[in-house]
């Protein structure tokens, strides 16, 4: 990359939103808050800007980007909606659901890694929506972390890792969900498949999911190129232990992370928790923040409890599994 630039953390005032919209019109890429994680946003229809997104993240061009629209009508200019896709869009957008649909030629091939399909969503976050309303193009936005690292749920996470490469991050505090959107493959509307579990669970979707291609892995690289089994990896080695069990022997340099606050008598040094009482939404909300905090505190190993395999807990276990793979 070229020489470091100064990155401003901007509060989402009307003035700052107008400045950010100007940056985007000029082809810049910015950190933006969403209801899932912070995104690295830029003009999805501009080849040069999309290349900049890949460069800033250090992401390989084989891993396609999600495109964010302000309305279904705007999206319909660029993708083919089946009846099933339209029904899901009407029910869950704006929100944490991404649909993979056949693309039209107006979406540059670089966005989709040359695939004939594109992943799209209409975000629910007020600030992101306001930006989309101010510009007349959709925004490509992967999570705003260096490729392979933990996703950011705070503006300071973005500044700490990508701050020398982007001019600004809009700061609207912690992200509501804390894990990325649910991705559904709808290229064949008769066989919807979950490519990535997220805040909207399979049961909430209310459609029959094709389980054969559920949880795509590296071997399905054409199907979900970015769902690598190794991902979300901090510097510290992550080791998982079963839900509702103990962490076993704790070595020096290790931190233990439980789902909920342990009783006082069981509290030892280097013990942390993701929620007060085991609430799944709270666990998801805090997951990436706690991993980043402990990683930066210099722990060399994080022993993390798996969570309940229901609702958003499925997404939490998915991310934990991927973050642990590299170190096992
Ligand atoms: O919540 C989210 O989805 C966040 C916020 C910023 O919107 N974005 C996000 O983007 O998580 P990213 O790029 O970090 O993850 C997108 C995933 C990748 O695994 C990518 O491979 C997959 O979506 N993907 C994108 N386009 C695809 C396509 N055409 N077909 C299959 N998978 C696709
Ligand atoms: Mg990501």
């Amino acid at each position: 990359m070229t020489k470091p630039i100064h990155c401003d953390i901007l509060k989402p005032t009307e003035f700052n939103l107008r400045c950010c919209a100007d940056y985007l019109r000029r082809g810049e890429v910015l950190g933006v808050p969403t209801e899932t994680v912070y995104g690295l946003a830029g003009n999805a229809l501009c080849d040069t800007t999309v290349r900049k997104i890949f460069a800033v993240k250090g992401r390989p061009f084989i891993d396609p980007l999600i495109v964010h629209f302000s309305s279904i009508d705007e999206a319909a200019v660029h993708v083919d909606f089946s009846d099933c896709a339209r029904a899901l869009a009407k029910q869950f957008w704006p929100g944490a659901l991404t649909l993979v649909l056949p693309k039209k030629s107006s979406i540059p091939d670089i966005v989709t890694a040359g695939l004939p399909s594109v992943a799209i969503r209409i975000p629910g976050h007020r600030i992101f929506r306001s930006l989309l309303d101010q510009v007349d193009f959709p925004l490509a936005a992967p999570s705003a972390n260096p490729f392979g690292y933990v996703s950011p749920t705070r503006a300071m996470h973005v500044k700490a890792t990508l701050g020398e490469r982007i001019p600004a991050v809009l700061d609207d505090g912690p992200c509501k969900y804390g894990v990325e959107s649910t991705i559904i493959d709808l290229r064949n509307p008769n066989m919807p498949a979950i490519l990535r579990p997220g805040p909207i669970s399979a049961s909430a979707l209310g459609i029959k999911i094709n389980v054969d291609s559920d949880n795509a892995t590296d071997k399905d690289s054409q199907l979900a190129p970015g769902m690598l089994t190794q991902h979300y990896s901090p510097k510290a080695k992550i080791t998982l232990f079963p839900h509702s069990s103990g962490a076993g022997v704790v070595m020096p340099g290790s931190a233990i992370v439980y789902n909920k606050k342990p009783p006082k008598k069981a509290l030892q040094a280097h013990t942390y928790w993701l929620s007060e009482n085991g609430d799944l939404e709270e666990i998801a909300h805090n997951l990436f923040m706690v991993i980043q905090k402990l990683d930066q505190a210099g722990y060399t190993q994080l022993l993390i409890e798996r969570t309940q395999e229901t609702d958003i807990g499925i997404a939490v276990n998915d991310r934990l599994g991927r973050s642990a793979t590299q170190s096992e």
Side-chain angles (χ1 to χ4, degrees), residues 57 59 143 145 151 180 231:
K57 256 188 91 85
R59 181 168 183 155
S143 51
N145 50 288
S151 295
E180 307 85 344
H231 207 16

Side-chain angles (χ1 to χ4, degrees), residues 36 59 63-64 66 68 117 119 121 142-143 181 183 196 223 226:
T36 55
R59 181 168 183 155
D63 190 355
I66 296 179
H68 301 74
S117 57
R121 83 177 178 105
S143 51
S181 61
I183 306 183
R196 179 175 70 184
L223 191 62

Side-chain angles (χ1 to χ4, degrees), residues 165-186:
R165 305 174 192 177
I166 55 174
V169 189
L170 269 173
D171 181 3
D172 198 43
C175 300
K176 177 177 162 196
Y177 292 118
V179 290
E180 307 85 344
S181 61
T182 306
I183 306 183
I184 314 274
D185 180 6
L186 276 177

Side-chain angles (χ1 to χ4, degrees), residues 138-157:
L139 292 171
S143 51
N145 50 288
F147 180 66
Y149 193 64
V150 185
S151 295
T153 57
R154 306 279 195 280
M156 55 177 275
H157 296 158

Side-chain angles (χ1 to χ4, degrees), residues 68-261:
H68 301 74
F69 291 95
S70 60
S71 70
I72 297 182
D73 285 349
E74 192 201 354
V77 174
H78 303 279
V79 303
D80 289 323
F81 276 96
S82 56
D83 289 346
C84 174
R86 206 169 269 277
L88 285 172
K90 283 198 170 142
Q91 193 180 349
F92 292 100
W93 285 348
L97 182 69
T98 295
L99 303 177
V100 175
L101 299 171
K103 85 174 185 79
K104 296 184 183 167
S105 59
S106 50
I107 300 285
D109 288 337
I110 181 140
V111 171
T112 65
L115 294 172
S117 57
V118 62
I120 66 165
R121 83 177 178 105
I122 297 182
H125 194 285
R126 182 178 61 93
I127 302 306
F128 196 6
R129 292 182 63 71
S130 157
L131 271 185
L132 281 166
D133 287 343
Q134 290 191 42
V135 297
D136 60 1
F137 42 80
L139 292 171
S143 51
N145 50 288
F147 180 66
Y149 193 64
V150 185
S151 295
T153 57
R154 306 279 195 280
M156 55 177 275
H157 296 158
V158 183
K159 177 157 175 153
T161 55
L162 301 179
E164 294 187 343
R165 305 174 192 177
I166 55 174
V169 189
L170 269 173
D171 181 3
D172 198 43
C175 300
K176 177 177 162 196
Y177 292 118
V179 290
E180 307 85 344
S181 61
T182 306
I183 306 183
I184 314 274
D185 180 6
L186 276 177
R187 288 171 307 159
N188 177 349
N190 300 319
M191 289 177 62
I194 295 196
L195 299 185
R196 179 175 70 184
I200 298 172
S201 64
S203 56
L205 285 167
I207 53 168
K208 195 168 178 305
I209 298 291
N210 173 27
V211 284
D212 289 345
S213 47
D214 199 36
N215 275 331
T217 57
D218 293 359
K219 70 179 174 1
D220 303 299
S221 55
Q222 271 310 97
L223 191 62
M227 289 306 284
L228 306 176
T229 48
Q230 295 182 2
H231 207 16
Y232 306 102
S233 305
K235 289 193 288 300
K237 170 182 157 127
I238 292 193
T239 307
L240 307 179
F241 59 94
H243 180 51
S244 287
S245 74
V249 182
V250 181
M251 307 298 277
S254 300
I256 314 169
V257 185
Y258 290 107
N259 280 195
K260 64 179 176 192
K261 186 175 180 178

